[in-house]
Amino acid sequence: MHEDRTGREPRSALANLGVFLAVLPFNVLPAGYALLAVGIGGWAATKNGEEPTVPVWEIAGSGSVLVAVAVGLAWGRFRAAAVAQVGLTAVLMTWLLSAYH
């Protein structure tokens, strides 16, 4: 394997996949919170006949928790798992914000 600048070898693909799948259930908590904030806020605004507003702090907070997990994975040399984590976070945040066009 190739060593990085610190002299440590990156983890194998199987280890990256295992760690990513192990962390995935914990990602449901911040992602679910953001999904609930968007859904409940939009439902309440529609129910009251108002224009829904973007729950910026909820989406930014849950996104930053997910990115912090990715930074921890990268620091632990699970770079492929970190890239997948950031990719899924970007897709989730884009999907959540697409409701507010």
Side-chain angles (χ1 to χ4, degrees):
M1 295 191 131
H2 297 91
E3 293 184 2
D4 61 4
R5 288 179 278 186
T6 61
R8 301 182 312 172
E9 292 183 2
R11 308 283 183 174
S12 69
L14 188 59
N16 273 291
L17 179 63
V19 167
F20 176 73
L21 292 176
V23 171
L24 202 56
F26 299 107
N27 292 340
V28 170
L29 296 173
Y33 174 72
L35 186 63
L36 281 173
V38 168
I40 290 173
W43 175 81
T46 305
K47 183 95 169 143
N48 294 333
E50 303 169 354
E51 191 69 28
T53 59
V54 180
V56 175
W57 291 109
E58 290 83 357
I59 292 176
S62 63
S64 62
V65 168
L66 294 172
V67 169
V69 170
V71 169
L73 290 172
W75 185 54
R77 296 179 294 154
F78 294 102
R79 291 184 182 94
V83 168
Q85 175 82 13
V86 169
L88 284 176
T89 301
V91 168
L92 175 69
M93 295 304 139
T94 303
W95 180 67
L96 288 174
L97 289 173
S98 69
Y100 300 94
H101 42 284

